[in-house]
Amino acid sequence: MFDPTAYENIKVVTEGDIYDRDLSGEIIVIDRNDWINAAKLSRKYEISFTKTGYEPNLLSAIMNIEAGLENLSAELLESVKAKQLAGCKVNISFSIHHKNEMVVFKEVHKGLEEIWGRDRVIVQTALLDPLGDKPTIKSHVQVSFNRLVYEEQIDDLSEMVDYMISSLEKIKKIIE
């Protein structure tokens, strides 16, 4: 019988948790993508959502789960050395449409540090039309963990979704 990889188990459990929250009306799933790169033997799953009542084009949260060839081979080879690679990368990000003011960037960074901790790498990227005169911009904020997530930590991903929802609530207060 086929034994699913850590990537597949983490993806299925996380997807189920997010869709349960969507069905309960807590959040609204906006988009979902499931990629397989046959040239590099890698997989990537992405799901985005927002809180019920929020405008999806103004504020959303995205979870990425990725596993490459080294992660798959580590599980299939089952050597002691390979076990440290038998997991996947999880990245959290937020898409925000807000005023083009430095104070907003600083408050978003501070708010996410309060929720996710100072150990996380938080990177903000702004997208704007340099020739436009709009007072608002779209930014992308990524929260990285700089480590693999293993199957044993699968329960932590539900807590991660809670943090994502708390982050949406905090960001909403900042950008209003």
Side-chain angles (χ1 to χ4, degrees):
M1 184 168 165
F2 172 71
D3 185 23
T5 63
Y7 167 84
E8 289 151 341
N9 287 332
I10 288 170
K11 180 188 114 173
V12 167
V13 169
T14 303
E15 183 178 43
D17 183 40
I18 290 173
Y19 273 107
D20 284 347
R21 293 168 191 253
D22 179 83
L23 286 171
S24 75
E26 181 181 9
I27 63 172
I28 298 169
V29 173
I30 301 167
D31 195 15
R32 192 197 97 186
N33 294 291
D34 206 344
W35 294 286
I36 297 175
N37 184 328
K40 296 179 181 173
L41 296 177
S42 64
R43 296 160 295 172
K44 180 178 177 181
Y45 175 75
E46 177 182 275
I47 189 163
S48 57
F49 63 87
T50 193
K51 288 250 323 167
T52 301
Y54 290 15
E55 285 292 324
N57 58 334
L58 298 180
L59 179 59
S60 62
I62 303 111
M63 178 182 277
N64 281 304
I65 301 170
E66 297 180 56
L69 175 60
E70 66 279 0
N71 307 114
L72 176 62
S73 64
E75 285 193 65
L76 297 177
L77 296 175
E78 295 183 0
S79 72
V80 174
K81 185 179 180 185
K83 283 290 184 194
Q84 63 193 8
L85 294 174
C88 57
K89 296 175 191 167
V90 176
N91 287 307
I92 304 301
S93 58
F94 301 91
S95 178
I96 312 166
H97 193 247
H98 60 86
K99 292 178 189 171
N100 188 7
E101 297 174 355
M102 187 56 66
V103 68
V104 175
F105 289 103
K106 289 179 180 180
E107 286 297 314
V108 166
H109 189 88
K110 180 182 170 192
L112 291 177
E113 268 189 348
E114 289 171 3
I115 292 170
W116 295 93
R118 293 183 179 265
D119 297 347
R120 308 293 170 248
V121 176
I122 300 171
V123 177
Q124 297 186 58
T125 308
L127 302 170
L128 65 113
D129 178 1
L131 301 176
D133 60 351
K134 293 182 180 178
T136 60
I137 61 166
K138 187 163 192 146
S139 67
H140 184 82
V141 185
Q142 184 161 342
V143 179
S144 300
F145 302 94
N146 293 328
R147 65 176 179 84
L148 291 178
V149 174
Y150 301 100
E151 211 165 359
E152 299 80 38
Q153 300 163 315
I154 209 162
D155 292 334
D156 295 344
L157 292 175
S158 181
E159 191 173 333
M160 203 177 280
V161 175
D162 291 335
Y163 286 5
M164 292 172 75
I165 293 168
S166 295
S167 298
L168 286 172
E169 294 167 346
K170 186 165 281 247
I171 293 168
K172 175 82 168 154
K173 290 177 184 171
I174 293 168
I175 65 172
E176 286 184 326

